[in-house]
Amino acid sequence: ETGVTQTPRHLVMGMTNKKSLKCEQHLGHNAMYWYKQSAKKPLELMFVYSLEERVENNSVPSRFSPECPNSSHLFLHLHTLQPEDSALYLCASSQEGQGLEKLFFGSGTQLSVL
Amino acid sequence: GEDVEQSLFLSVREGDSSVINCTYTDSSSTYLYWYKQEPGAGLQLLTYIFSNMDMKQDQRLTVLLNKKDKHLSLRIADTQTGDSAIYFCADRSNDYKLSFGAGTTVTVRA
């Protein structure tokens, strides 16, 4: 148990659907992240929230929309996705302000876009 | 983001040592990390090294850092079947971001 919980574990959606991924951290951290993991590619940082403010948006298409209502919860809203968006989406949290940045990851949501 | 590169696959016999290599480009890296991802799970921090160190040993794990060549390696002694996983190298520069490689899939064969 890493203290970071992601739901759902698996998601299959059509290109016209709207769905949301949810992440919750129980570690009292002040930063949360969305990463995209595709086979044979570097882990891709999508969004970073620090103290509930979005501080990073790495040129992610607008069909991905993050939301951080409080420091414990993070959502990724999905709409009109493309098949190439199929991947494992990982949420992570950390306590910023320390020299050693330790990320704690959830188990991910395996997304398939048909 | 900064580039972190690592080989994609490594096959090793049980009981042998595994060596996973990584190169990075960011000369301002302060910490370098190794994360492990077991099947169906997220990444877990395995070990890390501060950029002013050359080596760090932690039980079966040895991390070597060559800052001049921007080369990081992870050696796992007496590799066991439970070590089969994907290993990610990551570096952190002076900002808060971690840059990850694509991961090395280590397969331990009997």
Side-chain angles (χ1 to χ4, degrees), chain A residues 6-36:
Chain A
Q6 288 187 244
T7 54
R9 290 296 304 272
H10 302 274
L11 180 62
V12 179
M13 59 187 289
M15 288 191 283
T16 57
N17 292 159
K18 287 185 181 181
K19 296 286 185 184
S20 295
L21 310 185
K22 180 183 175 182
C23 177
E24 185 174 359
Q25 59 100 356
H26 310 277
L27 301 169
H29 288 163
N30 59 12
M32 296 188 77
Y33 309 75
W34 280 116
Y35 280 88
K36 178 182 178 183

Side-chain angles (χ1 to χ4, degrees), chain A residues 9 35 37 40-43 55-56 88 90 96 98-103 105-107, chain B residues 8-9 31 33 35 37 40-45 48 88 92 96-98 100-102:
Chain A
R9 290 296 304 272
Y35 280 88
Q37 182 179 4
K40 302 179 185 177
K41 292 184 180 178
L43 209 60
V55 297
E56 186 78 22
L88 181 67
L90 292 166
E96 281 196 342
Q98 301 173 351
L100 175 62
E101 186 79 17
K102 288 185 185 180
L103 290 182
F105 284 83
S107 298
Chain B
L8 291 180
F9 301 100
Y31 286 95
Y33 306 78
Y35 279 79
Q37 184 182 33
L43 282 69
Q44 277 194 300
L45 180 63
Y48 62 91
F88 288 87
R92 177 180 181 233
Y96 53 82
K97 290 186 291 185
L98 289 187
F100 285 86

Side-chain angles (χ1 to χ4, degrees), chain A residues 57-94:
Chain A
N57 177 352
N58 273 353
S59 302
V60 178
S62 59
R63 56 186 185 268
F64 295 92
S65 174
E67 179 190 1
C68 186
N70 56 60
S71 61
S72 299
H73 293 86
L74 185 66
F75 295 90
L76 187 63
H77 303 299
L78 317 171
H79 65 98
T80 59
L81 293 193
Q82 304 299 309
E84 60 264 28
D85 297 322
S86 298
L88 181 67
Y89 289 84
L90 292 166
C91 173
S93 70
S94 71

